[in-house]
Amino acid sequence: DGAMWETTPEDELHLGNKLSIEITIQDATGLPPALCHFVFCQYLFFNEDQEVIVPPFREASAKPPQPGKISFQHAHNTQVTINEDFLQYIMSDCLSVEVCGDPKLQLRDNQT
């Protein structure tokens, strides 16, 4: 499940206005179970200097995780000043969220 844009009527996109944005990442599903070790996601938003790295969310429940599904339960709030660059970004670019893992970690786990 990915990120989405939500605005309210009072958040009109006028140059110079400030806009509060929340980026939410809940789950990654359909992942190959053999590669679901040390999974994290990362993204770079329009006005951020560094990529945001999101570790998995570990639930303290007794039930085992669903194979191929990693929960992140991540929310990141940021604020931008609306300018021409931002308007161009939201009209032509997309927020790319990469899901990464380490298959070598799986191999090491199986050898011990």
Side-chain angles (χ1 to χ4, degrees):
D1 300 328
M4 63 181 171
W5 299 97
E6 287 186 22
T7 61
T8 57
E10 60 270 8
D11 289 333
E12 293 184 39
L13 299 178
H14 295 292
L15 292 178
N17 283 1
K18 294 211 182 276
L19 182 66
S20 295
I21 297 172
E22 181 177 86
I23 300 167
T24 304
I25 303 170
Q26 295 183 359
D27 303 301
T29 58
L31 302 174
L35 300 177
C36 285
H37 289 269
F38 194 67
V39 175
F40 63 96
C41 64
Q42 61 188 19
Y43 62 90
L44 181 64
F45 184 64
F46 167 74
N47 64 339
E48 308 268 319
D49 292 331
Q50 293 184 313
E51 282 187 317
V52 176
I53 297 175
V54 182
F57 176 76
R58 304 277 187 220
E59 292 187 53
S61 69
K63 66 180 186 175
Q66 181 181 351
K69 179 180 178 183
I70 303 293
S71 181
F72 292 102
Q73 305 307 314
H74 167 79
H76 176 72
N77 294 297
T78 188
Q79 191 173 64
V80 297
T81 300
I82 299 169
N83 59 27
E84 292 292 335
D85 290 338
F86 179 71
L87 293 176
Q88 181 67 32
Y89 175 79
I90 63 172
M91 291 190 305
S92 63
D93 290 338
C94 65
L95 177 62
S96 176
V97 178
E98 297 176 321
V99 178
C100 307
D102 187 352
K104 289 182 242 154
L105 188 61
Q106 168 71 22
L107 294 174
R108 285 193 297 261
D109 288 347
N110 287 338
Q111 293 173 352
T112 58

